[in-house]
Amino acid sequence: DIQMTQSPSTLSASVGDRVTITCRASLSISTFLSWYQQKSGKAPKLLIYATSSLQSGVPSRFSGSGSGTHFTLTITSLQPEDFATYYCQQTYSAPDTFGQGTNLEIK
Amino acid sequence: EVQLVQSGAEVKKPGESLRISCMTSGYTFTDYWITWVRQMPGKGLEWMGRIDPSDSYTNYGPSFEGHVTISVDKSIGTAYLQWNSLRASDTAMFFCARLFEVRQYGMDVWGQGTTVIVSS
């Protein structure tokens, strides 16, 4: 299985900040990477697929980049509704493994 | 409107069997894969497996293969996740989600989740 490692596990930030979450794959996954946002007790929400394609309806302050084994999710100008847990997922090869999650909390 | 509506919470005993469902509407059922994802209490997301409703081709994650069965009923646009013998460690929230195409896309619509509690 491909292992996905996110960093940091927890990130404290303030409204208006720019934040970056990193995701590393244990082997090259080209650009087959998605990002999800999950709020407590709710279903995850797709933010980005294929590394940098913004899902319909997702605000443009979310962006993704990377290739191979190193990927990032960037949120510019954090909004109150952005405080949540974020997961990366590789879709290169089944099982489509997730990272362990990054909890974005209010500073 | 595209919807995936999951069956309600379940409380079962170890060794019992269970089937939970994911009822879809608002799109052509056979155009999208259905994936199941587990979330144990306080933990992250785990990919369990997926099924192509057009031909019932399935992939399973190694931690789940042999313990769960994913199936569909095309006639009613519903996917299922089934256990023949539950364990206490199956206690979790389970989500279904649709996927347009393997590899290139993410899971764009999710069910609301089904809580399963397994306890003696």
Side-chain angles (χ1 to χ4, degrees), chain A residues 1 32 36 38 43 91-92 96, chain B residues 39 44 47 50 62 103 107 111:
Chain A
D1 299 0
F32 296 112
Y36 297 87
Q38 188 182 31
T91 58
Y92 176 77
D96 292 0
Chain B
Q39 189 165 38
W47 189 91
R50 64 181 170 220
R103 278 193 146 197
M107 295 176 281

Side-chain angles (χ1 to χ4, degrees), chain A residues 66-89:
Chain A
S67 68
T69 62
H70 184 241
F71 302 85
T72 59
L73 172 71
T74 298
I75 312 171
T76 57
S77 189
L78 273 173
Q79 299 301 299
E81 61 268 28
D82 298 337
F83 293 94
T85 301
Y86 293 83
Y87 295 91
C88 61
Q89 182 203 25

Side-chain angles (χ1 to χ4, degrees), chain B residues 15-70:
Chain B
E16 291 186 333
S17 63
L18 174 65
R19 188 177 77 168
I20 62 175
S21 64
C22 173
M23 183 172 64
T24 73
S25 61
Y27 73 99
T28 301
F29 183 56
T30 51
D31 283 352
Y32 288 77
W33 294 71
I34 294 290
T35 300
W36 286 94
V37 174
R38 182 176 78 175
Q39 189 165 38
M40 299 177 77
K43 302 298 184 182
L45 306 174
E46 297 176 270
W47 189 91
M48 299 179 70
R50 64 181 170 220
I51 188 165
D52 179 348
S54 66
D55 61 6
S56 291
Y57 176 78
T58 53
N59 296 125
Y60 290 95
S63 300
F64 301 97
E65 184 142 33
H67 183 52
V68 301
T69 302
I70 297 171

